[in-house]
Amino acid sequence: MCRLMTTQLEESLKGYPLYSQDGKGKDAICRAIFALGGVRWFILEGEKEGNDTILFGIVIGLMEDEYGYISLNELSDIELDLTKQGFGKLQVRQQENFHPVPLKKLRDSRLQEFLARMGY
């Protein structure tokens, strides 16, 4: 099992398979948030596919802020090696104690700017 697949995430994705929130814009429910440094993945939906889970959401903080798909196994494998800077290796982590909420209620200015650019 993937290190990021928690009981909390599994429960959160129940009833939210891929394409279940199409067209909802800012009213789409964010089911989970993952982060690594300034990069954040706002997960809207996902479904099991073999030994993996395919997620759909918004990524903020990479070259382009965008909607997209990511495999939970891929997300789990992302690692930032900062050992030369004395920080060790950093991995993507799920925001603990997060409760699903509509995107419009998340207090993340870059996310809200992205949604506004999308016309929501």
Side-chain angles (χ1 to χ4, degrees):
M1 185 160 102
C2 171
R3 75 173 178 83
L4 290 175
M5 180 48 82
T6 62
T7 304
Q8 177 187 358
L9 180 60
E10 196 169 6
E11 284 296 315
S12 182
L13 291 174
K14 278 186 183 173
Y16 287 86
L18 296 176
Y19 314 110
S20 63
Q21 297 201 74
D22 275 3
K24 292 187 177 180
K26 289 190 339 185
D27 291 319
I29 307 295
C30 181
R31 307 307 302 169
I33 300 173
F34 291 95
L36 176 63
V39 180
R40 292 164 318 285
W41 290 265
F42 298 91
I43 304 303
L44 303 176
E45 40 192 49
E47 64 186 57
K48 197 147 180 59
E49 188 174 285
N51 68 345
D52 200 356
T53 300
I54 305 304
L55 304 170
F56 180 78
I58 300 169
V59 62
I60 301 292
L62 292 177
M63 296 285 286
E64 295 280 333
D65 299 337
E66 63 185 359
Y67 280 103
Y69 296 90
I70 190 161
S71 140
L72 192 61
N73 287 342
E74 285 178 325
L75 201 57
S76 181
D77 289 343
I78 296 172
E79 192 172 80
L80 189 57
D81 188 352
L82 296 176
T83 49
K84 290 181 181 176
Q85 293 81 6
F87 296 106
K89 293 182 179 180
L90 304 179
Q91 296 179 310
V92 172
R93 298 275 181 230
Q94 183 176 353
Q95 183 176 320
E96 294 181 17
N97 302 315
F98 176 77
H99 298 287
V101 63
L103 289 171
K104 65 185 173 189
K105 292 192 176 182
L106 290 171
R107 293 182 178 208
D108 183 291
S109 60
R110 192 152 170 188
L111 171 66
Q112 296 306 324
E113 288 169 12
F114 169 78
L115 293 169
R117 282 195 311 273
M118 296 280 96
Y120 303 128

